[in-house]
Amino acid sequence: IESNQILQEKHEIALNSCFQLYQNNYKVVSLGGGHDYGYSDCAAFLKTVLASNIEDRPLIINYDAHLDVRPNTQNNHSGTPFYRLKKEFQNSFDLIEVGLQPQCNSVNHWNWAHDQNISTLSLNELETSDWQKFYKLPLISNLAPNQPVFISLDMDVLSSADAGGCSQSWPTGLKIKDVLNSIHYLCGKSNVLGLGIYEVAPCFDHDFKTSKAAALFIYNYIFH
């Protein structure tokens, strides 16, 4: 297990690398690693957008079974990226968490997320509304063509039948086609500057299904 100091140094390297790419007007695809790197990728995105002349408010959309808002009081890990982002950038951006599962999140974390004005959509809300709750969210339906968006995709948001080769998979989860459709929608309606894919675990991915699903998301982001 890496020490927190070494992990912090790697996060800084990743953040600075992504920031340089954004500064040179590249769109970025980042591959985790743990979702702790979601902090680095999103922080680089926010630093770039907030320092620019873009008027539209930056939006981060996290597809995940977990909120990942655990306090980093002892160290940084895959459960802390959005806690760190909210503490550092506070109310300068919007965040939507999509596909959350109740067994993966404590009540305290749900309450903290709502106190921070984080929009949350559970797996059940998406399935019972046929994703209409996602598309009708004001933050989604009111997207502007130049609005900067970062998509953070933790592969454990998918069911184990579709993506069992990740660090923590569940029999329940989102379907690949629904996530793909939403990414196409976001890319067509806003300026998606970056896509991060996290938690693919090759040692568990015996049939390469999870890696192929990750590659499919990247392909559709690039060639949407």
Side-chain angles (χ1 to χ4, degrees), residues 63-85:
Y63 296 84
D64 204 334
H66 307 82
L67 285 159
D68 286 349
V69 295
R70 292 160 63 185
N72 62 332
T73 49
Q74 295 182 332
N75 52 49
N76 300 315
H77 50 73
S78 62
T80 63
F82 299 108
Y83 179 89
R84 295 175 69 188
L85 288 167

Side-chain angles (χ1 to χ4, degrees), residues 50-107:
L50 295 174
S52 69
N53 294 321
I54 299 174
E55 295 182 0
D56 295 300
R57 186 174 168 86
L59 172 65
I60 296 171
I61 302 173
N62 177 42
Y63 296 84
D64 204 334
H66 307 82
L67 285 159
D68 286 349
V69 295
R70 292 160 63 185
N72 62 332
T73 49
Q74 295 182 332
N75 52 49
N76 300 315
H77 50 73
S78 62
T80 63
F82 299 108
Y83 179 89
R84 295 175 69 188
L85 288 167
K86 273 295 180 181
K87 285 296 182 180
E88 182 173 344
F89 295 95
Q90 299 184 356
N91 195 38
S92 61
F93 70 102
D94 291 313
L95 172 61
I96 305 173
E97 306 240 40
V98 180
L100 302 164
Q101 298 195 42
Q103 75 276 8
C104 297
N105 300 283
S106 75
V107 173

Side-chain angles (χ1 to χ4, degrees), residues 89-182:
F89 295 95
Q90 299 184 356
N91 195 38
S92 61
F93 70 102
D94 291 313
L95 172 61
I96 305 173
E97 306 240 40
V98 180
L100 302 164
Q101 298 195 42
Q103 75 276 8
C104 297
N105 300 283
S106 75
V107 173
N108 289 338
H109 294 160
W110 281 103
N111 291 339
W112 187 87
H114 291 153
D115 289 343
Q116 297 296 314
N117 296 316
I118 297 172
S119 298
T120 60
L121 281 174
S122 70
L123 172 66
N124 183 61
E125 288 177 294
L126 291 167
E127 289 183 334
T128 55
S129 71
D130 195 25
W131 277 74
Q132 289 309 301
K133 282 202 170 183
F134 175 82
Y135 294 108
K136 289 181 179 179
L137 276 176
L139 289 174
I140 299 298
S141 60
N142 294 328
L143 280 170
N146 293 322
Q147 187 161 357
V149 173
F150 185 92
I151 297 173
S152 174
L153 178 52
D154 189 322
M155 295 297 285
D156 70 23
V157 77
L158 303 171
S159 71
S160 56
D162 284 340
C166 63
S167 59
Q168 184 179 139
S169 62
W170 293 91
T172 49
L174 299 180
K175 297 178 178 63
I176 290 175
K177 67 176 181 64
D178 291 326
V179 178
L180 281 175
N181 287 341
S182 65

